[in-house]
């Protein structure tokens, strides 16, 4: 069982607008490795942080494309966990705006409306040159199980390589995703932070700003994060355990 501070439960119960800010820990109990965990198998000799850069793409596009194809396959074969489902449930009684750093689609598949994918998505490849969205019908995620390198497809218009629709280190966040996230945080009565180390900026500035503005911030993370000492309530529970407990606590008995 999870110890939920009464004030945290009350803040969520009273809130009309809730922003939920999620990171890789949100999907950990769906079997998706967090970004800073050691990767297993095929990719264990690579540092994920070294693949998520414009330099890695320039050096070896097929290696980078293969890695994202492999990740897309893992997500395709995974399911939303009870934490994702609890957030969708929370949204039935109030406005819940999900701002995620995750590139998976598990919030959507659980039934949440995700207003912002701050770091892009595994499912929005685009041309690396002209930026046109690529429909991805000839993506081959299964090949990435056996092969490190998978050649990226080419843009039908300009014949340049198609790149993953994710934000790499050193790249700007998509402007529309960022402005939607800022508005959501500004409009919220309470912010719930789930499964993020809170060290990657500018994303991590969003909950920090909410705290400066006096908005209660509730964190769920089994480990202390960079945000833990600043948040209003830091709850040592995993997403799949803590979020269902919170939603049950704020839901009036039938
Ligand atoms: N439930 C909740 N939190 C969890 C769980 C769980 N089951 N398991 C792990 N965590 C926590 C960890 O304690 C850690 O604080 O999730 C966090 C994961 O941290 P990171 O791997 O750093 O992921 P994230 O914060 O999402 O990274 C931010 O960095 O690499 C980039 O673009 C990438 O979006 C990513 C960004
Ligand atoms: Zn193009």
């Amino acid at each position: 069982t999870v110890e939920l501070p009464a004030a945290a439960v009350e803040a969520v119960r009273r809130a009309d607008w809730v922003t939920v800010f999620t990171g890789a820990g949100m999907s950990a109990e769906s079997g998706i490795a967090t970004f800073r965990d050691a990767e297993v198998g095929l990719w264990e000799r690579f540092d994920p942080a070294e693949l998520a850069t414009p330099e890695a793409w320039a050096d070896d596009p097929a290696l980078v494309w293969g890695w994202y194809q492999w990740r897309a396959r893992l997500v395709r074969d995974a399911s939303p966990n009870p934490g994702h489902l609890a957030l969708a449930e929370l949204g039935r009684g109030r406005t819940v705006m999900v701002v995620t750093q995750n590139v998976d689609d598990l919030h959507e598949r659980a039934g949440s409306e995700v207003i912002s994918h701050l770091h892009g998505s595994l499912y929005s490849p685009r041309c690396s040159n002209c930026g046109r969205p690529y429909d991805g019908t000839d993506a081959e995620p299964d090949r990435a199980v056996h092969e490190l390198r998978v050649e990226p497809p080419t843009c039908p218009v300009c014949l340049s390589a198609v790149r993953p629709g994710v934000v790499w280190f050193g790249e700007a966040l998509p402007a529309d995703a960022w402005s939607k996230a800022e508005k959501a945080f500004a409009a919220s009565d309470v912010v719930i932070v789930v499964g993020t180390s809170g060290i990657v900026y500018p994303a991590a500035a969003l909950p920090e700003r909410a705290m400066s503005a006096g908005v209660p911030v509730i964190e769920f993370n089994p480990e202390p994060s960079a945000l833990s000492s600043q948040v209003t309530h830091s709850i040592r529970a995993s997403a799949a355990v803590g979020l269902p407990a919170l939603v049950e606590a704020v839901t009036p008995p039938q």
Side-chain angles (χ1 to χ4, degrees):
T1 55
V2 190
E3 287 284 333
L4 295 171
V9 173
E10 198 47 36
V12 177
R13 188 183 283 136
R14 280 200 316 262
D16 295 319
W17 293 61
V18 180
T19 293
V20 185
F21 179 65
T22 66
M26 183 74 228
S27 300
E29 286 149 298
S30 293
I32 308 296
T34 65
F35 211 84
R36 286 167 180 80
D37 280 346
E39 295 288 345
V40 289
L42 201 56
W43 294 98
E44 66 200 357
R45 28 200 176 118
F46 293 93
D47 177 352
E50 285 171 11
L51 291 164
T53 65
E55 292 73 24
W57 171 253
D59 283 355
D60 195 344
L63 183 70
V64 172
W65 183 258
W67 187 56
Y68 282 97
Q69 290 288 91
W70 175 76
R71 291 180 61 192
R73 180 180 176 279
L74 293 184
V75 171
R76 185 196 69 192
D77 294 345
S79 302
N81 66 56
H84 294 104
L85 297 171
L87 291 177
E89 176 66 30
L90 188 67
R92 292 196 246 286
R94 55 188 64 66
T95 301
V96 172
M97 298 170 286
V98 177
V99 172
T100 187
Q101 299 167 88
N102 297 343
V103 294
D104 66 48
D105 61 353
L106 297 177
H107 284 299
E108 287 92 335
R109 281 158 56 195
S112 283
E113 193 199 337
V114 178
I115 65 152
S116 181
H117 270 280
L118 285 177
H119 293 163
S121 156
L122 290 170
Y123 306 100
S124 58
R126 65 173 189 273
C127 176
S128 59
N129 177 48
C130 73
R132 265 187 192 75
Y134 182 75
D135 74 10
T137 44
D138 63 354
E140 299 175 273
D142 292 317
R143 265 185 66 191
V145 183
H146 307 290
E147 297 170 42
L148 283 175
R149 286 183 176 73
V150 179
E151 282 303 324
T154 48
C155 171
V157 178
C158 76
L159 305 182
S160 299
V162 170
R163 61 160 281 176
V166 301
V167 177
W168 288 324
F169 287 104
E171 292 189 311
L173 271 47
D176 56 336
W178 179 253
S179 75
K180 280 184 190 163
E182 283 189 308
K183 286 186 190 129
F185 275 80
S188 288
D189 302 312
V190 63
V191 168
I192 303 174
V193 176
V194 188
T196 181
S197 52
I199 58 172
V200 174
Y201 287 83
L206 291 166
E208 290 178 346
R209 276 195 219 162
M211 291 181 274
S212 321
V215 177
V217 176
I218 305 164
E219 172 185 63
F220 288 90
N221 196 316
E223 307 288 335
S225 78
L227 299 168
S228 296
S229 63
Q230 310 163 58
V231 298
T232 322
H233 305 282
S234 185
I235 300 169
R236 290 283 154 272
S238 75
V241 172
L243 294 171
L246 175 70
V247 172
E248 198 193 325
V250 300
T251 307
Q254 299 295 307

